[in-house]
Structure formats: structure tokens, C-alpha cells
Amino acid sequence: NAAVYANRSLVYIKLKQWRPAETDAAAALEVQPGYAKAHLRRGIARRRLGKHEEAVGDFRAVLSAEPAHKEAREYLRASTIDKE
């Protein structure tokens, strides 16, 4: 179930365990491609791991599915600044 992986990814984010957060979010996307919450969580983890290009791609995927997603827009802006 994609939600289980995505929820565990959120727990890892709260614990600041970025690698397992990224891994679980990626697993959620394998089960359910296009799952916006999983893209958001993987993007957050990737940004913290210094993977700014990949994080930007995840945040753009969220905004493609949910254009008004405020949190994804803020993370996209921050990640764009980080990679400069």
C-alpha cells in the first residue's frame, strides 16, 4: 500500500532521517506512480540530502498534479535557490 510507505516516510522526515525517508517515498511511488504526497516527501528528503535537481523534479510533479499546493511551491522556490 503506497500510503503506508508515504506515512512512514513522513515519520522519518520528522526524525530527520533523510535517507530512509527518501527510500520509503520512492517505494510509495513504485506502488502508486504520481502519488503527490510521496513526491512531496521524497522531494523534502532529497533537498535535505543535497539532491536539489531531483528535489525540484519532485516538487514540480506535485504542482503538476495539484497546482495550488502551497507547501510544494514554497519547497520548489527554496530548492531552486539552494541549487544556485
Side-chain angles (χ1 to χ4, degrees):
N1 185 330
V4 173
Y5 287 115
N7 289 340
R8 191 168 64 180
S9 177
L10 178 60
V11 171
Y12 284 130
I13 287 169
K14 299 275 185 195
L15 296 171
K16 298 182 180 178
Q17 295 181 13
W18 312 121
R19 287 191 207 297
E22 179 187 24
T23 300
D24 274 358
L29 289 165
E30 285 182 30
V31 174
Q32 186 179 336
Y35 186 21
K37 283 184 182 179
H39 275 291
L40 179 67
R41 292 170 186 167
R42 187 172 70 177
I44 292 168
R46 285 177 164 178
R47 180 172 177 247
R48 294 296 187 163
L49 290 168
K51 300 177 179 182
H52 301 294
E53 279 296 325
E54 294 93 335
V56 165
D58 281 318
F59 299 136
R60 285 189 176 145
V62 175
L63 292 169
S64 176
E66 300 178 24
H69 199 291
K70 185 177 177 181
E71 187 178 11
R73 189 165 307 286
E74 290 170 3
Y75 276 117
L76 175 61
R77 185 186 62 75
S79 293
T80 303
I81 291 169
D82 289 344
K83 73 177 189 171
E84 291 178 354

